[in-house]
Amino acid sequence: MNAKELMMDNSILQIKNMPESERPYEKCLKLGVSSLSDAELLAVIIKTGTKNMRSTDLASHILNLCEKKGGIGFLSRLSIHELTKIKGIGKVKAIQIVCAAELSKRIAKSSASQDISFTSPEAVASFYMEDLRHFTQEHLILLMLDTKNRRIKDILITKGTINSTIMHPREIFIEALKHEAVNIILVHNHPSGDPTPSKADIQMTRQVAKIGDMIGIPLIDHVIIGDNIYESLSCYISDER
């Protein structure tokens, strides 16, 4: 078998086939993870390339596609289905990428939330806008706060149909009591992009606010997320007090 035939037989080009000076693993060990480029970081995640493309080349190709959509941040919005349409990305690589992106988002949000006091609807909307504005179903999130209105935890209470969410206040306050919340905020999205509250939204807000005041865990706001716009229902809460 000549060199050309050997190359064709070894059809998958891997990071280990690169010169040592070019390998992301060795570079990370010698110079630190911050020395790696975006493409090298992604190459470590996807591990292997294709017959005609090394893993770093494949990573660069993916990132170039993201740049056309607005930058590296678009990577976290790609679904497994969308990723597998890229030549060289199978289901396993797609899962590795979306999991890494999701972990990165969660770390960033957790770090950011420690410095945010959720005392205004602007702060709430800014924190949740990108997570919620693209959903095609309603998602209702309970945000639980400490004495300084900093985030203790948030959880998804319900995921509804395209135009409604089924929720019982009991579920909200079971979680609030479990996590020793001092105050709570409700956040949900309108898939239509219009955050104007429905009668059901207003009724639910008043009901939760009333129960919260009775048990000593006040609902301080209910923020509806639209497409880069939002609506605060705090006025309907104050009406009940």
Side-chain angles (χ1 to χ4, degrees):
M1 183 179 289
N2 59 37
K4 184 175 181 180
E5 289 171 334
L6 182 62
M7 177 67 76
M8 292 299 293
D9 183 62
N10 186 17
S11 60
I12 298 179
L13 295 174
Q14 300 181 345
I15 288 176
K16 67 182 180 182
N17 299 127
M18 299 178 183
E20 185 173 337
S21 61
E22 296 178 17
R23 296 178 191 172
Y25 292 107
E26 283 75 7
K27 186 176 179 181
C28 180
L29 286 172
K30 289 181 179 179
L31 302 175
V33 68
S34 61
S35 70
L36 300 185
S37 66
D38 292 343
E40 288 170 332
L41 288 169
L42 186 55
V44 170
I45 294 168
I46 62 178
K47 297 182 180 178
T48 59
T50 68
K51 182 169 66 175
N52 301 312
M53 213 183 290
R54 296 188 187 276
S55 57
T56 47
D57 296 328
L58 179 57
S60 295
H61 175 63
I62 295 168
L63 293 175
N64 286 337
L65 294 176
C66 290
E67 284 297 327
K68 294 176 182 179
K69 299 290 186 177
I72 191 173
F74 189 77
L75 185 64
S76 65
R77 291 169 54 187
L78 290 173
S79 67
I80 292 174
H81 177 68
E82 290 169 324
L83 283 165
T84 54
K85 289 182 178 179
I86 299 171
K87 187 176 181 180
I89 299 295
K91 286 185 179 179
V92 173
K93 284 187 174 65
I95 290 170
Q96 290 169 336
I97 292 170
V98 297
C99 286
E102 179 62 23
L103 182 60
S104 176
K105 281 169 59 180
R106 293 185 188 187
I107 292 170
K109 284 195 67 177
S110 179
S111 299
S113 68
Q114 295 175 7
D115 299 323
I116 298 174
S117 181
F118 291 93
T119 54
S120 69
E122 290 84 2
V124 176
S126 177
F127 191 73
Y128 288 100
M129 181 64 71
E130 284 307 307
D131 282 345
L132 294 179
R133 62 186 285 254
H134 302 289
F135 286 135
T136 56
Q137 290 181 309
E138 288 192 6
H139 289 61
L140 176 65
I141 292 174
L142 169 64
L143 171 60
M144 294 169 280
L145 306 172
D146 63 14
T147 54
K148 295 184 178 180
N149 286 329
R150 291 177 302 197
R151 176 179 170 270
I152 297 173
K153 186 179 178 65
D154 60 19
I155 62 168
L156 177 65
I157 294 293
T158 59
K159 182 168 72 172
T161 64
I162 197 167
N163 58 8
S164 66
T165 296
I166 300 171
M167 184 280 302
H168 195 287
R170 178 178 62 243
E171 301 166 28
I172 289 173
F173 290 104
I174 286 174
E175 294 295 337
L177 288 165
K178 183 193 302 182
H179 292 93
E180 300 181 347
V182 175
N183 295 309
I184 59 172
I185 294 175
L186 295 178
V187 188
H188 88 273
N189 65 302
H190 278 182
S192 66
D194 180 2
T196 303
S198 66
K199 290 182 179 179
D201 292 334
I202 296 169
Q203 182 180 6
M204 177 183 72
T205 301
R206 286 174 168 163
Q207 184 181 17
V208 173
K210 185 175 181 179
I211 296 172
D213 288 344
M214 288 174 61
I215 67 175
I217 306 178
L219 175 68
I220 60 176
D221 207 345
H222 180 181
V223 177
I224 301 176
I225 302 295
D227 189 6
N228 276 328
I229 51 176
Y230 67 90
E231 187 82 26
S232 168
L233 277 66
S234 59
C235 60
Y236 298 104
I237 296 172
S238 59
D239 288 347
E240 293 294 306
R241 294 177 176 148

